[in-house]
Amino acid sequence: MTATGARNAPDVVDVVALGESMVTFLPSRPGRLADVPSFDRGIGGAESNVACVLAAAGHTARWVGRVGADGFGDHLVEAIGGYGVDVSHVRRDPRRPTGIYFRTAGDRSTDAHEVAYYRAGSAASAMSPAGVDLDALRAGRVLHLSGITAALSSGCLDLLRELTAPRPGRPLISFDVNHRPGLWRDTRGPEVLLDLARGADLVFVGEDEAEEAWGITGGPTRIRQALPEPQTLVVKQGARGAVAFRHPAGSRAAGAARVGADGTPQAPGSATNPRPAPAPAPAPATFEPALHVDVVATTGAGDAFAAGFLSATLRDLPVRDRLRHGHLTAAAALTAPGDLAAPPARAHADRLAALDDTAWGTLRLGPGWTRADEHEGPEKEARTP
């Protein structure tokens, strides 16, 4: 398997994203949900967010999901399609509703942050291998998934297991762990997520997330030791930065490596045995510090980071630049309200990603930075924090 799936096959798009998207209601002012008088409607969903950002960045993207045959479902399909995302394979469910949620304006890492989900029994929870177009899902250079989908229902988990199973010719499987303890109906969640991650080619996980889900401490290298199978592992370290581990050039990704010479799939490491055999050789690691950002809201920043990294991956940029594009796209989300923010123009992002280490380290970005004149030099944007 190459860095991404086939480029020139008929009907192949750059990225296919599978998952639940919901209508989100954003507060008109700060405060408790009980005190907020009104809300503005938006859209939110980890996987569809990635598809929207990638489409806005100039890639071809498809979102596959399931929504109710209701007004909220209409809004989601129209809004996501408005970003240029292909929504022709979204199924409509006449019996189940579209999920919605309300949230406060505070940082989700604080105790003051509140989210009220109304997604139990949603249309998306009825997804299964038999209920989606598997060919449409696999018709991308990259197939982006997340652990949120696995938590929605047994059918959704079966679907993710089908898509992460080893098979010849599959697209590059991107998997964002997205551990959400409140979504799981039992204690199997961490083991399931570890097993799914082992079947992916590219995995995104937060350092704090790995500790919460799997009890792994000691930094990114310890996480890589517990998760050696993916060709690329990105460990996010919040405001500090991110580390990318990649197997040496020429080694195969997890999915390809688990298909025997006779084409017979070989079983991945089991989640019931969370200490797999060590990788045959140490994987090179690349660390890239995060940017200094004047934060407006944190929601959607992780999805934006994944989109930026995937965009650079599709362009076959060096690992350092993939991380920098992840940071830049996350900065666009951090400096705007809502779950979705327009990414910087490609030339603008490329210019910033090419800064030397000193200039990158002093760059500070605030609201509106993505609209900066492309012809302004870095000195117009950078200042010492």
Side-chain angles (χ1 to χ4, degrees):
M1 176 178 287
T2 57
T4 54
R7 295 171 183 261
N8 301 316
D11 302 321
V12 169
V13 297
D14 288 334
V15 176
V16 179
L18 166 79
E20 179 174 35
S21 191
M22 295 180 288
V23 173
T24 177
F25 290 90
L26 309 174
S28 57
R29 64 172 177 81
R32 302 183 309 156
L33 286 178
D35 300 328
V36 175
S38 60
F39 297 81
D40 295 320
R41 185 182 63 177
I43 61 173
E47 303 86 359
S48 61
N49 286 350
V50 170
C52 289
V53 173
L54 283 167
H59 297 281
T60 54
R62 170 180 299 149
W63 171 56
V64 177
R66 190 179 183 94
V67 299
D70 50 31
F72 288 146
D74 293 342
H75 175 64
L76 282 174
V77 172
E78 292 168 6
I80 295 171
Y83 280 86
V85 176
D86 173 19
V87 293
S88 62
H89 296 278
V90 176
R91 299 283 176 91
R92 307 300 297 266
D93 192 320
R95 297 184 300 278
R96 300 175 182 86
T98 303
I100 64 172
Y101 72 97
F102 296 77
R103 68 173 176 84
T104 54
D107 189 327
R108 71 166 56 187
S109 65
T110 68
D111 293 337
H113 185 70
E114 296 176 72
V115 182
Y117 287 105
Y118 299 90
R119 72 196 306 177
S122 68
S125 68
M127 290 190 296
S128 68
V132 299
D133 186 339
L134 293 175
D135 289 337
L137 279 169
R138 291 172 172 139
R141 295 171 58 196
V142 173
L143 172 57
H144 182 68
L145 311 168
S146 101
I148 295 174
T149 305
L152 297 180
S153 68
S154 59
C156 287
L157 176 55
D158 289 344
L159 177 57
L160 259 65
R161 283 175 167 155
E162 166 69 24
L163 294 171
T164 56
R167 57 180 289 137
R170 75 177 192 179
L172 183 144
I173 303 297
S174 167
F175 182 71
D176 194 335
V177 172
N178 264 326
H179 178 46
R180 300 287 188 269
L183 287 179
W184 290 90
R185 296 166 299 284
D186 54 40
T187 60
R188 297 183 309 127
E191 291 185 351
V192 170
L193 293 175
L194 185 62
D195 194 45
L196 291 171
R198 286 173 173 167
D201 303 304
L202 165 60
V203 173
F204 299 96
V205 65
E207 185 175 21
D208 55 347
E209 188 176 37
E211 180 176 0
E212 180 184 28
W214 304 320
I216 300 173
T217 58
T221 299
R222 292 293 300 275
I223 298 171
R224 182 53 158 173
Q225 289 171 350
L227 192 55
E229 295 91 346
Q231 184 178 28
T232 304
L233 171 68
V234 179
V235 180
K236 298 175 290 182
Q237 298 181 287
R240 185 179 171 216
V243 179
F245 296 89
R246 278 177 59 81
H247 286 309
S251 64
R252 291 181 294 177
R258 292 188 184 126
V259 178
D262 60 354
T264 303
Q266 299 172 349
S270 170
T272 59
N273 179 20
R275 301 189 66 84
T286 302
F287 171 77
E288 196 60 32
L291 293 161
H292 302 286
V293 177
D294 298 327
V295 177
V296 173
T298 59
T299 305
D303 304 330
F305 180 93
F309 191 95
L310 285 171
S311 175
T313 298
L314 286 160
R315 297 169 61 200
D316 202 24
L317 298 183
V319 175
R320 187 208 71 162
D321 291 3
R322 298 181 194 191
L323 289 168
R324 286 192 171 189
H325 277 273
H327 288 317
L328 287 164
T329 312
L334 289 167
T335 53
D339 286 20
L340 271 171
R346 180 173 292 184
H348 189 186
D350 283 346
R351 178 169 56 80
L352 295 180
L355 293 173
D356 62 41
D357 290 345
T358 299
W360 178 264
T362 58
L363 186 65
R364 189 178 193 103
L365 302 174
W369 74 269
T370 58
R371 300 188 296 274
D373 186 346
E374 271 189 3
H375 300 291
E376 292 181 351
E379 68 278 0
K380 295 286 188 178
E381 303 166 286
R383 61 184 187 273
T384 302

